[in-house]
Amino acid sequence: MFKRNIKISGIGTYVPNRTVYSSEIDSLIGAKSGWSERKSGVKKRYFVTDETASFMGAEAAKRAIEDASIKLEEVDCIVSGSGTMEQAIPCNAALIQKQLGLQHSGVPSFDVNSTCLSFLTALDMISYAIESGRFQNVLIVSSEIASVGLNWKQDESSILFGDGAVAVVVSKSNGQSKIISSHMETYSVGAHLSEIRGGGTKLHPREYSEQKKEDFLFDMDGKAIFKLSYKIMPTFINKLFKDTNLAMDDIKMVIPHQASASAMRIIRKKLGVNEDSFMTIIENYGNMIAASIPMALFESIKQGKVQRGDKVLFLGTSAGLSIGGIILEY
Amino acid sequence: MFKRNIKISGIGTYVPNRTVYSSEIDSLIGAKSGWSERKSGVKKRYFVTDETASFMGAEAAKRAIEDASIKLEEVDCIVSGSGTMEQAIPCNAALIQKQLGLQHSGVPSFDVNSTCLSFLTALDMISYAIESGRFQNVLIVSSEIASVGLNWKQDESSILFGDGAVAVVVSKSNGQSKIISSHMETYSVGAHLSEIRGGGTKLHPREYSEQKKEDFLFDMDGKAIFKLSYKIMPTFINKLFKDTNLAMDDIKMVIPHQASASAMRIIRKKLGVNEDSFMTIIENYGNMIAASIPMALFESIKQGKVQRGDKVLFLGTSAGLSIGGIILEY
């Protein structure tokens, strides 16, 4: 229970120009028409053609800044909260700063990474610095390109993902908007249940070969992840709500990571939340890694399902395996 | 000026078993005997053989925990502050948690990345959460494997780097130890002055080829980096000291990023600091990316040059291009 008086004062998104319907995925993986949509719950998602993560991130950021009614020059920190990197060095935030035309600004720019929970972890951690007055307007950008790392021979994972970016401006609030509670747990017993083994210092790209190519692609054991997540979820939720004087009924909208349609359905029932209070956007975007939760927030706001003063619950699991949540008074 | 009552309560290091003397580097790059040491100021460094970043990080962490006189079970957050990743997914901190045998602990684990400044950024950001009471004992681990990504055709950069890990335990203090001031600036006009272009979503490892191999190796324009760093340094230092009532003379030891011996010498003179108050370890370790600053702190303490109550100045630049500093009462 460590309240922080911060406010998501603006939000913006960018999706790639190319829309990919599940019929196209069916052809790609050699499945019967309709199979991948039935299996994943994803009707369409977006894949990049020539867009880079920093380009998408900067486009989303410009819209978030406009939505927050501030000037670009008022941004005083840029945090990339993404599970994928554009290049090995430097960090994404510096590349986004450049795309925004802030290359001479000196605005501090760094990355926070906890894979699919990167947005939540970035928001959670930076909120303390904002509350203390260190920063006034922090841009958190989650920009993800999943498509380049998918293994089309692994139906279970490849049919789920989409690319895109979401950015928010986070500012100090007068106390109306706030983080009411936040909590994160990591169980690395599941560290290898979803991973890309290659691309880092353990298996350098020079080791890439036809035989080893799957080591450089996303590999996921969905059933094992779900089993572990399902087991740790109830205690986690209790800890998140502890000392808040709130119950699940007080939450206007649960905004989950869009991991997979079937997993979300079971988790929703486990939490005892009805469909109207559980934001699902996977059918139109797929799983956008760390951009999923803020994209679901964006859609909740756009569709009028979340308004200022409403309490929302961000909740998700990620590779690691980590589970994270924030109760936010929006 | 945002003081935070935190204390580096323990520190530990790990270097790989293999010591690489500069004579070996001379042979490798076809230089005359003595050339690379004269040029870089590095006598020896360590290169991994079969050590992984998470293994080294966990070994350093165990020593830091022992040094802090706490139990492993008292660690309640693990932050990897490293400029290199072990694998693309998941984050390093989860892999380090597993190596520590904490795989069932639930201890939250995530990464902060600002390349060579990752340790400073992690310490700076997490200090707010510690001060607020969110965490009691945070493990920050900088574990770097530079050797795998060096371009032996680029003398300027390849002769500089070494591998290894440093970990610290950061706890709340009673007010004696504290962060007095911290500041960071990013100038992405220099984003491509030091980089590894490949390995991420922009240039996937599948694009690796004999022709493109240098895109997957570290590339640095040392002169341009130095020129930019030298230009932004004076104003940066003024901002870092602003409102602290401190001057450079009050600093017992400047602990710089060990970028290169020649750059450190010029910066030291520019800052008006004498040799005895400027910690240089590059001759024995090389540039260890984000592990350089904490390794220099470790050596300062071990050699009796820094004691409790002393004021130290952490200072460095990184790919991005970023410049960062912390004034710490140790």
Side-chain angles (χ1 to χ4, degrees):
Chain A
M1 261 295 292
F2 300 98
K3 285 191 187 172
R4 281 141 274 160
N5 291 326
I6 59 98
K7 181 181 181 177
I8 295 180
S9 52
I11 186 165
T13 70
Y14 177 89
V15 291
N17 289 322
R18 182 177 170 220
T19 308
V20 179
Y21 290 92
S22 286
S23 51
E24 189 177 331
I25 304 289
D26 288 334
S27 307
L28 191 64
I29 62 174
K32 272 190 198 159
S33 175
W35 182 85
S36 71
E37 185 178 329
R38 231 173 19 248
K39 177 94 178 166
S40 67
V42 184
K43 286 192 173 72
K44 64 180 171 74
R45 78 284 285 149
Y46 301 88
F47 279 1
V48 293
T49 43
D50 56 358
E51 295 105 333
T52 61
S54 57
F55 168 78
M56 295 197 300
E59 290 301 305
K62 287 176 199 165
R63 294 167 193 182
I65 288 164
E66 198 189 330
D67 188 46
S69 301
I70 62 166
K71 289 177 196 152
L72 183 59
E73 296 72 33
E74 292 178 79
V75 169
D76 56 1
C77 182
I78 300 173
V79 184
S80 164
S82 306
T84 55
M85 289 194 78
E86 179 162 323
Q87 52 185 72
I89 290 176
C91 64
N92 282 15
L95 299 172
I96 292 166
Q97 195 213 46
K98 191 159 194 266
Q99 283 280 351
L100 280 170
L102 291 172
Q103 66 271 23
H104 299 288
S105 66
V107 172
S109 305
F110 58 88
D111 290 9
V112 171
N113 177 5
S114 55
T115 326
C116 293
L117 287 172
S118 301
F119 175 80
L120 287 198
T121 305
L123 177 61
D124 192 2
M125 287 303 110
I126 208 70
S127 67
Y128 291 99
I130 295 171
E131 163 108 336
S132 83
R134 172 75 175 272
F135 301 118
Q136 306 304 316
N137 295 296
V138 178
L139 202 52
I140 301 178
V141 185
S142 297
S143 184
E144 303 281 19
I145 297 178
S147 56
V148 73
L150 297 177
N151 181 354
W152 294 107
K153 288 185 182 164
Q154 187 174 96
D155 295 345
E156 179 193 31
S157 63
S158 61
I159 61 176
L160 288 173
F161 289 87
D163 305 336
V166 186
V168 300
V169 176
V170 190
S171 317
K172 198 163 177 172
S173 82
N174 56 13
Q176 205 165 26
S177 299
K178 57 181 160 301
I179 288 181
I180 295 170
S181 176
S182 58
H183 188 52
M184 179 187 182
E185 294 178 1
T186 301
Y187 295 90
S188 57
V189 64
H192 298 288
L193 295 180
S194 60
E195 63 177 340
I196 297 178
R197 287 177 290 279
T201 56
K202 196 175 180 185
L203 194 64
H204 189 269
R206 75 166 62 83
E207 307 286 337
Y208 187 88
S209 68
E210 193 56 28
Q211 291 74 40
K212 285 190 182 165
K213 67 180 181 186
E214 296 197 347
D215 283 333
F216 294 85
L217 299 172
F218 187 64
D219 184 22
M220 177 182 106
D221 179 347
K223 270 184 196 158
I225 293 168
F226 182 77
K227 205 176 151 189
L228 180 53
S229 306
Y230 193 78
K231 196 180 109 185
I232 61 183
M233 182 82 65
T235 312
F236 176 85
I237 291 286
N238 286 341
K239 284 185 186 164
L240 185 61
F241 276 86
K242 193 171 172 265
D243 299 331
T244 61
N245 292 318
L246 295 176
M248 196 56 88
D249 280 351
D250 298 309
I251 301 298
K252 179 75 186 297
M253 189 63 68
V254 176
I255 298 179
H257 172 49
Q258 311 287 309
S260 85
S262 57
M264 283 194 288
R265 201 157 39 233
I266 303 173
I267 294 293
R268 182 178 66 72
K269 288 179 183 169
K270 177 89 170 174
L271 296 175
V273 176
N274 65 46
E275 267 189 275
D276 293 346
S277 303
F278 196 89
M279 194 66 197
T280 305
I281 61 160
I282 194 169
E283 55 269 44
N284 291 320
Y285 293 101
N287 174 340
M288 295 170 71
I289 316 179
S292 271
I293 288 177
M295 183 61 93
L297 173 65
F298 174 81
E299 285 289 342
S300 301
I301 298 165
K302 203 178 79 172
Q303 296 172 27
K305 293 178 175 179
V306 166
Q307 283 162 345
R308 288 286 169 200
D310 287 343
K311 292 177 188 72
V312 300
L313 166 60
F314 297 131
L315 181 67
T317 58
S318 75
L321 182 146
S322 294
I323 178 167
I326 292 179
I327 303 174
L328 177 88
E329 188 161 328
Y330 174 72
Chain B
M1 263 296 293
F2 301 98
K3 286 191 185 170
R4 282 142 274 162
N5 292 326
I6 59 97
K7 182 182 180 178
I8 294 181
S9 51
I11 185 165
T13 70
Y14 178 90
V15 291
N17 289 320
R18 183 179 168 219
T19 308
V20 179
Y21 291 92
S22 285
S23 50
E24 189 177 331
I25 304 289
D26 288 334
S27 308
L28 191 66
I29 62 174
K32 274 190 197 160
S33 175
W35 182 85
S36 72
E37 184 177 329
R38 236 178 11 254
K39 177 94 178 165
S40 66
V42 184
K43 284 191 175 71
K44 64 178 172 72
R45 78 284 284 150
Y46 302 88
F47 279 0
V48 295
T49 43
D50 56 358
E51 295 105 333
T52 61
S54 57
F55 168 79
M56 296 196 300
E59 290 302 304
K62 286 176 199 166
R63 293 167 194 181
I65 288 164
E66 200 189 327
D67 189 45
S69 300
I70 63 165
K71 289 177 197 153
L72 183 59
E73 296 71 35
E74 292 178 78
V75 169
D76 56 0
C77 182
I78 300 172
V79 184
S80 166
S82 307
T84 55
M85 290 194 78
E86 180 162 321
Q87 52 185 72
I89 290 175
C91 64
N92 282 15
L95 300 172
I96 292 166
Q97 195 213 47
K98 191 158 194 265
Q99 282 280 351
L100 280 170
L102 292 172
Q103 67 271 22
H104 298 289
S105 66
V107 171
S109 305
F110 58 88
D111 291 8
V112 171
N113 177 4
S114 56
T115 326
C116 292
L117 287 172
S118 301
F119 175 81
L120 288 198
T121 306
L123 176 60
D124 192 2
M125 287 303 111
I126 208 71
S127 66
Y128 291 99
I130 295 171
E131 163 109 335
S132 82
R134 171 75 176 272
F135 302 118
Q136 306 304 313
N137 295 295
V138 178
L139 202 53
I140 301 179
V141 185
S142 296
S143 185
E144 302 281 21
I145 298 177
S147 55
V148 74
L150 298 176
N151 182 352
W152 295 106
K153 288 185 182 163
Q154 187 174 95
D155 296 345
E156 180 192 34
S157 62
S158 61
I159 62 177
L160 288 173
F161 289 87
D163 306 336
V166 187
V168 300
V169 176
V170 190
S171 317
K172 197 163 179 174
S173 83
N174 57 13
Q176 205 163 28
S177 299
K178 57 180 156 306
I179 289 180
I180 295 170
S181 175
S182 58
H183 189 51
M184 180 188 183
E185 294 177 359
T186 302
Y187 295 89
S188 57
V189 63
H192 298 288
L193 295 179
S194 60
E195 63 175 341
I196 297 179
R197 288 177 288 280
T201 55
K202 195 174 180 185
L203 194 64
H204 188 268
R206 75 167 61 85
E207 307 287 337
Y208 188 89
S209 68
E210 195 55 29
Q211 291 72 41
K212 286 191 182 164
K213 67 180 180 184
E214 296 198 344
D215 283 334
F216 295 85
L217 299 171
F218 186 64
D219 183 22
M220 176 181 106
D221 180 348
K223 272 183 195 158
I225 293 167
F226 182 76
K227 204 175 152 191
L228 180 54
S229 306
Y230 194 78
K231 196 181 109 188
I232 61 183
M233 181 84 62
T235 312
F236 176 84
I237 292 286
N238 286 342
K239 284 186 188 165
L240 185 60
F241 276 86
K242 192 169 172 265
D243 299 331
T244 62
N245 292 316
L246 296 175
M248 197 57 88
D249 281 352
D250 298 308
I251 301 298
K252 180 74 186 298
M253 189 62 67
V254 176
I255 299 180
H257 173 50
Q258 308 289 308
S260 85
S262 57
M264 282 193 287
R265 201 157 40 234
I266 303 173
I267 294 291
R268 182 177 66 71
K269 288 178 182 168
K270 177 88 169 176
L271 296 175
V273 175
N274 64 48
E275 267 190 273
D276 294 345
S277 302
F278 196 89
M279 194 66 198
T280 305
I281 61 160
I282 194 169
E283 55 270 45
N284 292 319
Y285 293 101
N287 175 340
M288 295 170 70
I289 316 178
S292 271
I293 287 177
M295 183 61 93
L297 172 66
F298 175 81
E299 286 289 341
S300 303
I301 297 165
K302 202 177 82 173
Q303 297 172 28
K305 292 178 175 177
V306 166
Q307 283 163 345
R308 286 287 167 201
D310 286 344
K311 291 178 188 72
V312 299
L313 166 60
F314 298 131
L315 182 65
T317 57
S318 75
L321 182 144
S322 294
I323 179 167
I326 292 180
I327 303 174
L328 177 87
E329 188 162 327
Y330 173 70

